[in-house]
């Protein structure tokens, strides 16, 4: 995972919470005055923040898939309207729609359902 640091600053004090290494640092006038492992509460907060980052990335990936699905469905419906859809087209459309609905359900419900984007991967909770 890339470096993920939350930082709060005022005129002389900088506080940093490194979500990756789980280390808190406090600087006073640029000098490190405290460095310690996260507390249990900070660990829980970091876990939730990182889960939110993953969920947002998954939401964006699912939205990209929605755009592709719309184009594919339009092409299928055009074939149906033109009378050129084959049995293979109809058969292929059922699992495609099922996969699309899995993604749509994840988008609509959100929360822990966005822990994954693949319907074969169960949500991890969190």
């Amino acid at each position: 995972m890339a470096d993920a640091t939350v930082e709060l600053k005022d005129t002389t004090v900088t506080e940093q919470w490194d979500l990756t290494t789980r280390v808190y640092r406090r600087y006073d006038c640029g000098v490190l005055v405290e460095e310690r492992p996260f507390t249990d509460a900070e660990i829980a907060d970091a876990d939730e923040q990182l889960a939110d980052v993953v969920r947002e990335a998954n939401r964006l990936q699912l939205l990209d898939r929605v755009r592709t699905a719309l184009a594919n469905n339009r092409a299928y419906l055009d074939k149906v309207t033109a009378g050129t859809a084959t049995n293979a087209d109809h058969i292929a459309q059922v699992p495609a729609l099922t996969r699309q609905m899995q993604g749509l359900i994840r988008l609509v419900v959100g929360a822990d359902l966005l822990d994954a984007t693949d319907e074969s991967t169960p949500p991890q909770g969190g």
Side-chain angles (χ1 to χ4, degrees), residues 1-28:
M1 164 175 274
D3 180 44
T5 302
V6 176
E7 190 171 272
L8 292 177
K9 291 182 177 185
D10 66 18
T11 55
T12 60
V13 175
T14 300
E15 292 181 287
Q16 293 179 338
W17 291 265
D18 187 325
L19 304 181
T20 306
T21 63
R22 308 298 172 102
V23 172
Y24 167 83
R25 292 178 186 90
R26 183 174 176 272
Y27 298 87
D28 194 349

Side-chain angles (χ1 to χ4, degrees), residues 28-84:
D28 194 349
C29 296
V31 176
L32 180 65
V33 294
E34 182 181 2
E35 181 176 73
R36 61 168 172 73
F38 276 11
T39 64
D40 290 343
E42 289 167 334
I43 289 171
D45 187 51
D47 288 345
E48 188 58 36
Q49 287 183 51
L50 292 173
D52 288 345
V53 168
V54 168
R55 289 172 182 162
E56 179 61 11
N58 288 344
R59 186 185 73 79
L60 294 172
Q61 182 181 4
L62 288 168
L63 284 173
D64 282 343
R65 289 182 186 177
V66 165
R67 289 178 183 91
T68 300
L70 284 172
N72 291 343
N73 289 340
R74 178 78 263 156
Y76 169 75
L77 290 173
D78 288 346
K79 284 183 177 183
V80 170
T81 300
T84 59

